[in-house]
Amino acid sequence: FLRREGGVNGRLPIRPEKRDLIEKSKVTCGTMKKFDNWCGNIFEHYSDVGYVPQLNPKKNCFIFDEDEYHGKKIQNQERLEYIEAFCDDRDKVYFNMTMQDSNLIHFSSEKNYRLVTNFYYFLIFSDPIMDNYMKRFVRDFLHYHDSIYCAAGKIIQSVQQDGLARGFELDNEGGGAYSALHVRRGDLQFKKVKISAEEWYENTKEIWEQNEILYIATDERNKTFFEPIAKHHTLKFLDDYWDLAGLGDMDPNYMGMIDTIVASRGRAFAGTYFSTFSGYINRLRGYYGMSMKDSYYSFLPKKNTMHKWERSGSAFAKEFPAGWIGIDGDIWASHDRF
């Protein structure tokens, strides 16, 4: 992109005095300013040559509306009411011709403007047909590479075969016959949700069926941590399927993605609150049409939060039904309608 657009004939020409710095950063870049290949070299270039909207998801809602785009006021009362409810107390920002005519729109990663939120909470199309179309576009096209799904599929089938041998059944969509947990143990900054394995079991034990296999997606490398749960259930981990799924031949960065897919196909699921990894597992379950009544969190104050119908919130801690409920139709989803 930089090679094509940053040259003298490109639409985003790089200033001569910045070219050496950007050359060092364009393939791989460092996160600290002291590095020669600091990522900020590229970000500063995009800020110089592009349009930088100053948007904060907690303070702004970003709206695509045809009337406003052409300088008119919205006449449709239903759309006005929906936008008001969607934005609540946030300031409305409409997509406009300035943005449309820009060669580049650069969303800043500065603290006040980071888009750390669910996309369907931040932006909306005022036409429900288009709004649902874009949510379907995200569901159907912004997904993991086929090789990741193929590897995950091999693991899912293997776990399910063991579950079927124990007398468990698949659901109507081909999921189930085991259940899953996501146990986040690494650098998660929210200490109150990093609980012991004993607490994990005590907080979730009634969710699991007797003799049910539990697949655990986790960044915890010391498997002895899970012994309090292993006393009650057969546990399975990604490593158990290393050879079966050919994981040694895959990019190591794919491992977490494979874990999300396998965990999402369980009969029931319990995740780590505040983790976007757990959140995405729940969104995948929503895409499959699975009931959120079978999704839980190990953190007791939020254990059943997925069972409630809530409007999308700014918190990245969880996902909301607006991301998947009713998106194959032409009307906005609501508790009354669904």
Side-chain angles (χ1 to χ4, degrees):
F1 177 76
L2 284 167
R3 185 166 53 248
R4 185 179 68 240
E5 301 294 354
V8 292
N9 296 318
R11 290 178 294 177
L12 309 170
I14 300 170
R15 297 207 309 261
E17 66 271 21
K18 290 286 189 80
R19 184 166 292 280
D20 286 345
L21 290 173
I22 291 175
E23 285 292 329
K24 293 176 181 178
S25 306
K26 69 181 184 182
V27 177
T28 58
C29 63
T31 57
M32 299 180 69
K33 195 169 185 177
K34 67 180 181 180
F35 295 154
D36 288 341
N37 66 335
W38 179 46
C39 299
N41 295 326
I42 294 177
F43 299 156
E44 287 180 353
H45 169 63
Y46 289 154
S47 295
D48 288 343
V49 299
Y51 176 81
V52 185
Q54 295 186 339
L55 298 171
N56 182 325
K58 292 183 178 180
K59 297 179 179 179
N60 305 116
C61 54
F62 193 34
I63 307 164
F64 291 79
D65 178 79
E66 187 173 2
D67 287 337
E68 285 282 347
Y69 179 79
H70 291 291
K72 305 174 184 176
K73 294 296 182 182
I74 302 174
Q75 300 299 318
N76 186 299
Q77 189 61 32
E78 182 184 11
R79 294 184 184 182
L80 281 171
E81 291 174 359
Y82 193 83
I83 290 171
E84 287 296 328
F86 176 83
C87 294
D88 197 16
D89 59 352
R90 294 177 293 168
D91 294 332
K92 303 175 187 65
V93 178
Y94 289 90
F95 184 76
N96 56 42
M97 291 187 180
T98 300
M99 299 179 192
Q100 175 65 34
D101 293 340
S102 300
N103 287 327
L104 175 79
I105 297 178
H106 175 60
F107 290 96
S108 173
S109 59
E110 292 182 18
K111 184 177 180 179
N112 290 331
Y113 304 113
R114 292 176 63 203
L115 302 183
V116 185
T117 190
N118 300 313
F119 75 92
Y120 50 83
Y121 171 76
F122 172 56
L123 62 85
I124 184 177
F125 289 80
S126 64
D127 181 347
I129 296 175
M130 182 57 68
D131 199 53
N132 285 336
Y133 173 84
M134 295 308 298
K135 289 175 181 175
R136 293 197 302 274
F137 185 91
V138 171
R139 179 192 66 188
D140 298 341
F141 294 101
L142 298 182
H143 55 67
Y144 298 140
H145 193 278
D146 287 351
S147 63
I148 296 171
Y149 270 99
C150 286
K154 293 175 183 178
I155 297 172
I156 291 168
Q157 288 187 341
S158 182
V159 186
Q160 287 180 330
Q161 286 171 3
D162 291 341
L164 291 170
R166 297 180 179 215
F168 291 90
E169 297 180 349
L170 303 181
D171 61 29
N172 293 333
E173 298 294 330
Y178 67 95
S179 283
L181 302 80
H182 169 229
V183 180
R184 175 74 183 274
R185 295 287 303 161
D187 60 349
L188 186 66
Q189 65 267 43
F190 303 100
K191 306 302 181 186
K192 60 186 177 182
V193 302
K194 291 177 68 172
I195 60 178
S196 66
E198 288 86 356
E199 289 177 280
W200 263 96
Y201 181 69
E202 286 300 316
N203 293 356
T204 63
K205 61 185 179 182
E206 82 286 354
I207 300 170
W208 322 122
E209 297 184 356
Q210 187 175 0
N211 202 34
E212 187 173 32
I213 296 170
L214 300 183
Y215 179 89
I216 299 183
T218 185
D219 55 356
E220 175 60 66
R221 306 315 300 167
N222 181 9
K223 297 301 190 294
T224 62
F225 171 84
F226 298 101
E227 287 179 354
I229 305 175
K231 293 177 182 178
H232 307 278
H233 290 275
T234 298
L235 305 185
K236 295 292 184 179
F237 301 91
L238 187 67
D239 294 348
D240 297 328
Y241 305 94
W242 197 262
D243 294 330
L244 173 72
L247 301 182
D249 298 325
M250 301 184 71
D251 186 330
N253 292 313
Y254 290 175
M255 300 304 111
M257 304 176 199
I258 294 169
D259 249 351
T260 61
I261 299 169
V262 180
S264 73
R265 296 305 276 152
R267 176 192 64 81
F269 170 70
T272 301
Y273 197 71
F274 291 116
S275 168
T276 54
F277 192 98
S278 286
Y280 189 60
I281 291 171
N282 275 325
R283 194 194 321 164
L284 287 176
R285 291 172 66 81
Y287 286 160
Y288 303 147
M290 303 178 83
S291 171
M292 288 297 114
K293 296 290 187 181
D294 292 320
S295 286
Y296 303 84
Y297 283 105
S298 62
F299 182 50
L300 287 180
K302 297 293 184 180
K303 182 175 180 176
N304 298 316
T305 189
M306 294 305 297
H307 302 180
K308 308 170 187 174
W309 182 281
E310 295 179 280
R311 275 196 175 276
S312 301
S314 62
F316 58 85
K318 57 171 283 187
E319 297 266 351
F320 296 84
W324 58 84
I325 294 290
I327 64 174
D328 288 296
D330 292 335
I331 59 175
W332 282 303
S334 69
H335 185 264
D336 295 335
R337 289 169 170 168
F338 291 90

